[in-house]
Amino acid sequence: MKQSLQLKLSQQLRLTPQLQQAIRLLQLSSLELEKEIQTILDENPLLERSENNDDEDDSFTSAEEINEIDQYNLDNPVESWEQDIPETLVVDSSWDEIYDSQISNDSSNDGSFEVGQHIADQISSSLQEHLSWQLNLLPLSKIDQIIGLAIIDSIDTNGYLQTELSEIAENISNELDVSLSEVNVILNQIQQLDPPGVGARNLQECLQLQLVHFDITTPGLKPAIKIVDSHLEVFAKRDFDSLLSLLKITKEELSLAIQIIRHLTPNPGAIYSDNTSDYQSPDVIVKKEQEQWLVELNPEVT
């Protein structure tokens, strides 16, 4: 056998670690890519994100503009609130469908109520756990504790009591001797817990429970209580002339009352709800213009 030496050229594609990583990143969506980048930044303290802040000032409202808006609201109190009040209001309906309310978190203002100190910025416990924790701090007997837990179990994620007290008393009476009046007493104690308004059986009662937490000297509180107690539907119809006539107050007093009501929350338990939607931003946007379909990258994720 004769031995020989031959030279042969060939091409081979080898997936280096860098190439494998590049291929994997190309397959990620913009949201997954953002999470991947954040994970790498968290794992390596020597890395930092570089962002372009050239247009940062354009996204903020100037102090002068804010002052002008606030001054307008003060000069035109009823007009500024009129735009936010709905056409109709059903007392037992969901406030989200009929009113766009905002909750004031500034405890330094008059009329604001304090939230339990143990609540973190990122709420992790459910409403039932939060109420049960407070219930255990009350000086109650074992029977009253059982009644309280039964009531808490009947409160939905928005903070409303969904079961009749007579039904709760009947269910407990199968094992213990409990009267309807005892259940009602424990409900009154639960309605004093945090968050204010919890345990209400309808929207009107929910707002009433929140108003009792305000300082009695708060300007506009008395007409606000009268509106919620007796004229809530008139208020919802934006019939301010009728309210002025019924309450026999000035426009300034009515404006203060409106501000108080507007800062109440219709769903006090919503802050503890876990049912938050996981929204994902699309990579591309498809829209139709002049009988033609256009596809463009989403500017929010590019």
Side-chain angles (χ1 to χ4, degrees):
M1 178 180 291
K2 184 178 180 181
Q3 295 181 348
S4 62
L5 181 63
Q6 294 181 350
L7 180 63
K8 183 179 180 181
L9 298 177
S10 63
Q11 292 183 344
Q12 293 182 349
L13 178 61
R14 294 185 177 180
L15 294 178
T16 63
Q18 293 82 356
L19 184 57
Q20 292 177 4
Q21 184 181 40
I23 294 175
R24 185 175 66 85
L25 293 177
L26 287 173
Q27 295 176 339
L28 300 178
S29 65
S30 57
L31 183 61
E32 293 170 337
L33 181 60
E34 178 66 24
K35 291 182 179 179
E36 179 74 14
I37 294 174
Q38 187 60 46
T39 300
I40 296 175
L41 291 173
D42 294 339
E43 293 176 351
N44 192 341
L46 299 180
L47 298 178
E48 62 180 13
R49 186 190 296 269
S50 177
E51 297 181 355
N52 185 5
N53 297 325
D54 294 340
D55 300 330
E56 182 177 350
D57 294 339
D58 296 338
S59 61
F60 295 92
T61 304
S62 63
E64 291 78 4
E65 293 174 340
I66 296 176
N67 291 333
E68 291 178 2
I69 295 173
D70 291 341
Q71 186 60 42
Y72 174 80
N73 290 335
L74 291 175
D75 296 338
N76 306 275
V78 174
E79 294 179 7
S80 62
W81 292 111
E82 263 188 343
Q83 301 174 358
D84 297 323
I85 301 176
E87 298 276 342
T88 58
L89 171 64
V90 180
V91 175
D92 290 331
S93 61
S94 174
W95 191 271
D96 289 339
E97 301 172 358
I98 53 181
Y99 195 85
D100 181 18
S101 69
Q102 296 178 349
I103 306 173
S104 174
N105 292 323
D106 185 4
S107 59
S108 62
N109 294 333
D110 291 337
S112 61
F113 42 79
E114 296 181 358
V115 181
Q117 295 297 321
H118 72 287
I119 304 176
D121 293 335
Q122 195 71 20
I123 300 298
S124 58
S125 61
S126 67
L127 176 62
Q128 277 68 28
E129 292 174 343
H130 181 53
L131 294 175
S132 298
W133 176 83
Q134 297 176 83
L135 185 69
N136 291 331
L137 300 179
L138 299 179
L140 301 176
S141 64
K142 289 186 178 181
I143 295 180
D144 290 343
Q145 285 277 350
I146 294 174
I147 297 174
L149 291 175
I151 294 175
I152 291 174
D153 288 340
S154 300
I155 295 177
D156 64 14
T157 55
N158 289 323
Y160 286 85
L161 183 65
Q162 296 296 331
T163 306
E164 295 292 335
L165 294 183
S166 57
E167 183 178 345
I168 296 176
E170 183 179 353
N171 293 336
I172 300 177
S173 297
N174 294 332
E175 299 180 2
L176 301 172
D177 185 15
V178 174
S179 65
L180 179 59
S181 60
E182 290 178 292
V183 177
N184 191 55
V185 170
I186 301 303
L187 174 62
N188 291 334
Q189 296 196 45
I190 291 178
Q191 289 178 340
Q192 306 305 315
L193 302 179
D194 177 78
V198 71
R201 286 156 286 191
N202 53 57
L203 177 60
Q204 184 180 40
E205 185 178 22
C206 178
L207 301 181
Q208 291 171 335
L209 291 173
Q210 295 177 59
L211 287 174
V212 299
H213 288 267
F214 283 75
D215 189 329
I216 193 173
T217 61
T218 302
L221 178 60
K222 290 184 178 180
I225 293 175
K226 291 181 180 179
I227 290 174
V228 172
D229 288 347
S230 308
H231 310 296
L232 195 56
E233 293 185 1
V234 179
F235 166 78
K237 293 177 181 178
R238 298 187 293 183
D239 191 353
F240 296 109
D241 291 335
S242 296
L243 285 176
L244 291 173
S245 177
L246 290 168
L247 300 175
K248 295 179 173 30
I249 58 177
T250 64
K251 288 186 176 181
E252 289 73 20
E253 292 173 320
L254 178 60
S255 175
L256 293 172
I258 292 174
Q259 293 183 44
I260 292 177
I261 296 174
R262 189 172 184 266
H263 283 82
L264 303 178
T265 173
N267 298 318
I271 188 176
Y272 297 92
S273 176
D274 317 321
N275 301 323
T276 54
S277 301
D278 185 14
Y279 295 100
Q280 294 188 5
S281 300
D283 293 331
V284 296
I285 298 176
V286 180
K287 58 184 178 180
K288 189 176 184 180
E289 291 185 1
Q290 299 179 353
E291 303 302 326
Q292 291 185 349
W293 290 98
L294 302 179
V295 181
E296 61 183 19
L297 292 175
N298 186 356
E300 295 183 0
V301 296
T302 55

